[in-house]
Amino acid sequence: YKKAVMQQIFSQKLRFKDENGRAFESWEEKRLADVAKINPKANFLPNEFIYIDLESVEKGVIIKEKFITKNESPSRAQRLLSKGDILFQLVRPYQGNNLFFNKDGIYVASTGYAQIRTNQNPNFIYYCLHLNDFNIEVMSRCTGTGYPSINSNDLADIVIKIPSPPEQEKIAGFLAAVDDKIAVAKAKLEAVRQYKQGLLQQMFI
């Protein structure tokens, strides 16, 4: 359902309206670099931080947090994160292990990610990065076979369609609500799996 509705929204077959029932302005085509800073430079790295490498994120969720000091950190630890930043996986991007960062605390990410800091609605941009058309463009710019990767400059050059800020907010809010329902459904499914596993264990004892 989510994939289908995203296709409808981003192809503009489904449009939201403002509070007065009027259509929003036409969408514009812009390069990612025109609406975001890619890999904003950090003036310094803190002495201690939580490090996010390419094994730390799975499908938009941080599954592993490693607390380290600056002295023991790898050379790839360079992306000092702020709330609203987006991490885009540069190596094997087809896996989709990207992250919308919205946590408190001091986090630094690996250069295996492109750090995207946008002046648009960051949630909307995050959804844009998961569209089929966008990922086709990403893969067409990748080099390498076993571990295909895209560099940040080529990523920044990809064109996306941008609606007005109020429509971005409506779209992001709608899709976030869908994600919440998906999370609830996944939790219920996991509970059923655990229940089934418990029954099987009792049956074969």
Side-chain angles (χ1 to χ4, degrees):
Y1 170 76
K2 179 183 175 183
K3 287 180 180 179
V5 78
M6 283 184 68
Q7 180 65 30
Q8 292 287 313
I9 290 172
F10 286 93
S11 65
Q12 300 176 61
K13 292 179 180 178
L14 174 63
R15 293 292 304 273
F16 289 84
K17 295 183 179 181
D18 66 17
E19 284 71 15
N20 298 314
R22 294 176 298 194
F24 286 108
E25 302 167 11
S26 299
W27 293 29
E28 297 180 333
E29 290 190 346
K30 295 185 178 181
R31 296 182 311 130
L32 185 58
D34 295 330
V35 296
K37 290 182 179 179
I38 311 297
N39 301 332
K41 287 189 175 181
N43 294 326
F44 69 96
L45 286 182
N47 291 325
E48 297 178 329
F49 51 84
I50 297 170
Y51 179 53
I52 299 177
D53 61 17
L54 289 175
E55 305 299 321
S56 301
V57 177
E58 187 174 299
K59 305 299 182 185
V61 178
I62 298 176
I63 59 172
K64 180 180 69 174
E65 295 188 355
K66 184 179 181 181
F67 186 80
I68 60 175
T69 65
K70 181 179 178 180
N71 291 336
E72 65 183 352
S73 65
S75 60
R76 293 173 70 86
Q78 295 182 22
R79 314 279 194 232
L80 181 61
L81 299 179
S82 296
K83 274 190 174 183
D85 283 352
I86 298 166
L87 293 179
F88 187 87
Q89 180 183 1
L90 295 173
V91 181
R92 293 189 288 184
Y94 57 82
Q95 293 180 330
N97 292 329
N98 309 314
L99 178 69
F100 178 79
F101 181 75
N102 194 31
K103 301 193 73 170
D104 294 317
I106 303 173
Y107 287 74
V108 174
S110 164
T111 53
Y113 296 101
Q115 180 183 6
I116 301 169
R117 184 172 295 165
T118 181
N119 56 10
Q120 305 292 311
N121 183 299
N123 282 294
F124 174 83
I125 298 298
Y126 182 73
Y127 287 118
C128 284
L129 303 184
H130 294 85
L131 294 172
N132 285 336
D133 289 347
F134 185 87
N135 282 286
I136 288 171
E137 289 295 324
V138 168
M139 294 308 298
S140 72
R141 290 165 166 78
C142 282
T143 58
T145 53
Y147 292 88
S149 63
I150 183 172
N151 66 56
S152 295
N153 290 333
D154 287 338
L155 180 71
D157 205 41
I158 296 177
V159 173
I160 58 177
K161 294 179 180 178
I162 301 291
S164 65
E167 190 170 7
Q168 289 181 40
E169 185 174 351
K170 281 183 174 287
I171 292 170
F174 176 81
L175 292 176
V178 174
D179 280 338
D180 289 343
K181 290 182 179 180
I182 291 172
V184 171
K186 285 182 176 178
K188 289 181 179 178
L189 179 59
E190 182 58 29
V192 172
R193 284 176 176 163
Q194 294 292 335
Y195 177 68
K196 176 185 175 183
Q197 186 65 27
L199 287 179
L200 289 173
Q201 288 177 350
Q202 292 179 36
M203 289 172 60
F204 292 100
I205 289 178

